[in-house]
Amino acid sequence: MEKSRKGKRWAGLATAVAVLAVAGLVWFEPWALWVDETVHETLPAASVPATSDPATTPTANPGPSASAAAPVTVAQGTFISHEHTTTGTAKIVRLADGTHTLRLEGLDTSNGPDLRVLMSDAPVKEGTAGWRVFDEGRYVDLAGLKGNKGDQNYPLPADVDWTEYPGVSVWCDRFDVSFGAAALVRA
């Protein structure tokens, strides 16, 4: 009888350990560290009104010029590493229609669970002092990170004044830590 109880205890303990191990794997997603997702997006082209027929267009409104249609980088910064090695450039680009896009170029970081792109009013700091600050003050969660490598675009909401959020972070929402961040400086 005693052996039967010990056997049941060991079976229960083994089951509990197995459940915890599976839960830990699901939570941490360690396999994501070895899987790269590469994205190669081109800079979006803003919709520019077509130029009217020159014969019917008043001279006071000749239509958009070629220079007005070109995207302009209005701020940029270089990523520094936090929890994971992260390199690349973050840029705020004003498109011809006046909208703004956050563009990540040459991004190279680790993959991970629940990675987000945040713009924050927190200052970008080197070392562990900068790892956990991006969700403490005001921030804008733009979207899930499209890929841990490459070039990608994140349109800024029309009601967001990007100048109030000079820090950009690749943020792991599951563990509340920055993989890497860039301080935006006006161009």
Side-chain angles (χ1 to χ4, degrees), residues 20-161:
L20 287 174
V22 169
L25 286 172
V26 169
W27 181 253
F28 284 97
E29 296 180 28
W31 55 85
L33 293 173
W34 293 282
V35 177
D36 289 329
E37 294 180 39
T38 303
V39 174
H40 292 294
E41 292 182 328
T42 59
L43 190 61
S47 57
V48 177
T51 305
S52 302
D53 180 3
T56 61
T57 302
T59 56
N61 185 11
S65 68
S67 64
V72 176
T73 299
V74 294
Q76 70 180 27
T78 303
F79 276 96
I80 62 168
S81 299
H82 280 150
E83 175 70 23
H84 293 266
T85 301
T86 303
T87 59
T89 304
K91 296 180 177 182
I92 300 292
V93 179
R94 184 178 60 241
L95 303 176
D97 63 1
T99 62
H100 291 86
T101 293
L102 172 68
R103 179 159 173 82
L104 306 183
E105 290 185 344
L107 179 67
D108 189 353
T109 190
S110 298
N111 207 342
D114 203 10
L115 294 181
R116 312 290 304 167
V117 178
L118 297 187
M119 291 184 68
S120 172
D121 64 352
V124 174
K125 299 177 185 176
E126 296 270 351
T128 57
W131 287 17
R132 300 188 183 276
V133 299
F134 295 98
D135 68 344
E136 291 177 357
R138 293 183 320 126
Y139 66 93
V140 177
D141 184 342
L142 294 177
L145 186 69
K146 296 174 184 178
N148 64 306
K149 294 184 180 298
D151 306 323
Q152 45 206 279
N153 305 303
Y154 298 89
L156 300 184
D159 62 341
V160 170
D161 178 0

